[in-house]
Amino acid sequence: MTDTQSLPEGYEISADSTRVDVDRVHRWLSTDAYWALGRSREKQERAIAGSLNFGVYDATSGEQVAYARVVTDEATFAWLCDVYVDPAARGKGLGTALVAAVRGYVEPLGVRRVLLATQDAHGVYEKLGFKALDRPDQWMALILR
């Protein structure tokens, strides 16, 4: 699975969960991602098991360089989360290509809405059609911790 229009040469995108480097993803998120700092390995494994998982891989070495997951019923709703690009691979358009591939995967499912939350990457997502909620006052959250 690739979005060949925006994926830089030498990389590939896969939705095969068995390819996810769980150690690497856990290290990235639990130590460097503001939304997941301190996340336990056990919790990360459960999150991976309950989600659609996408990775960007170096086509030569097979090393994972980016990750995203989608929580969805595969019919009406999806939540894009844990989007992360290794610092050494940033600036190449891999994050944009990854999110475009996720969009291409969920769109044919008939999902009406894909939500995400970000503090600092609005521009990346806007390029792919995401926009601020028109009516954020209609949305609520139950915070359990």
Side-chain angles (χ1 to χ4, degrees), residues 24 28 37 66 87 90:
R24 178 173 293 215
W28 283 339
L37 292 175
R90 291 180 186 164

Side-chain angles (χ1 to χ4, degrees), residues 47-64:
I48 289 169
S51 303
L52 298 176
N53 297 277
F54 299 82
V56 178
Y57 302 89
D58 181 288
T60 303
S61 69
E63 179 180 52
Q64 186 168 0

Side-chain angles (χ1 to χ4, degrees), residues 47 50-54 68-74 77-82 106 111 113-115:
S51 303
L52 298 176
N53 297 277
F54 299 82
R69 69 186 182 90
V70 176
V71 181
T72 182
D73 60 9
E74 297 190 30
F77 179 82
W79 172 42
L80 174 61
C81 53
D82 288 346
V106 300
V111 170
R113 189 173 275 121
V114 179
L115 291 182

Side-chain angles (χ1 to χ4, degrees), residues 2 8 24 35 45 47-48 52 63-64 82 94 100 102-103 109 112-113 116 118 120 124 135 139 142 145:
T2 59
R24 178 173 293 215
W35 65 89
E45 289 176 0
I48 289 169
L52 298 176
E63 179 180 52
Q64 186 168 0
D82 288 346
L94 297 174
V102 168
R103 179 182 172 157
L109 300 174
R112 180 176 176 197
R113 189 173 275 121
L116 66 88
T118 184
D120 56 3
V124 171
R135 298 290 313 266
W139 293 86
L142 173 62
R145 60 171 193 108

Side-chain angles (χ1 to χ4, degrees), residues 30-44:
S30 68
T31 65
D32 192 42
Y34 66 83
W35 65 89
L37 292 175
R39 183 182 290 170
S40 72
R41 169 67 186 251
E42 184 270 336
K43 185 170 278 195
Q44 186 63 55

